[in-house]
Amino acid sequence: MDAARKLKEAVDPGAGVVALRPFVPAKDFQTSRQFYQALGFRDEALGDGLVELYLGAYSFLLQNYYVEDWAGNFMMHVLLEDLDAWWIRTEALDLPGKFGVAAPTPPKAMPWGLTVSHVVDPSGVLWHFAQVLKGPADG
């Protein structure tokens, strides 16, 4: 590594980061994996009980490890360009019927400037799928 790059990374520790992937718990690993595949995540097995799940260029690590209190307090946030299109697709998946989860919540404008839909995975992890709230000039 050359001196200029070392200096840049010393000043900006984020300069050398190539990924930031949280470990998400799974009570039933295969059910959770299938749930995320149904939502449109592409998976890549990394080992026994560990899979990387991609949504576009972004990913997280699903692990075959579960603690109820942790999973029930774990949240993920996905910022989308078009939440309405995502909602139409997700609502049609019948996640409650296929996976025994609560029904996803329809998009709702929040006072902090996002429109948000909530999805709870089979382990109790809460996902916030969101879009920046459109102003009057945005249509």
Side-chain angles (χ1 to χ4, degrees), residues 32-110:
S32 290
R33 187 175 185 176
Q34 292 168 357
F35 174 85
Y36 288 111
Q37 289 170 338
L39 275 176
F41 285 83
R42 178 180 59 83
D43 69 331
E44 181 180 320
L46 299 178
D48 192 32
L50 186 64
V51 64
E52 187 165 5
L53 289 156
Y54 294 88
L55 198 57
Y58 303 96
S59 66
F60 69 92
L61 302 171
L62 182 68
Q63 62 181 327
N64 191 16
Y65 181 78
Y66 176 78
V67 174
E68 185 175 2
D69 287 343
W70 173 45
N73 286 287
F74 196 92
M75 291 186 274
M76 295 287 285
H77 183 265
V78 179
L79 192 60
L80 302 165
E81 289 182 357
D82 188 347
L83 180 59
D84 291 333
W86 179 89
W87 170 250
I88 290 167
R89 182 187 177 284
T90 300
E91 187 179 33
L93 294 175
D94 185 27
L95 297 173
K98 292 178 182 170
F99 298 100
V101 297
T105 63
K108 179 180 177 184
M110 298 297 188

Side-chain angles (χ1 to χ4, degrees), residues 1-13 15-16:
M1 180 182 302
D2 65 25
R5 182 169 175 191
K6 283 184 183 180
L7 178 60
K8 180 177 180 181
E9 288 183 9
V11 174
D12 178 7

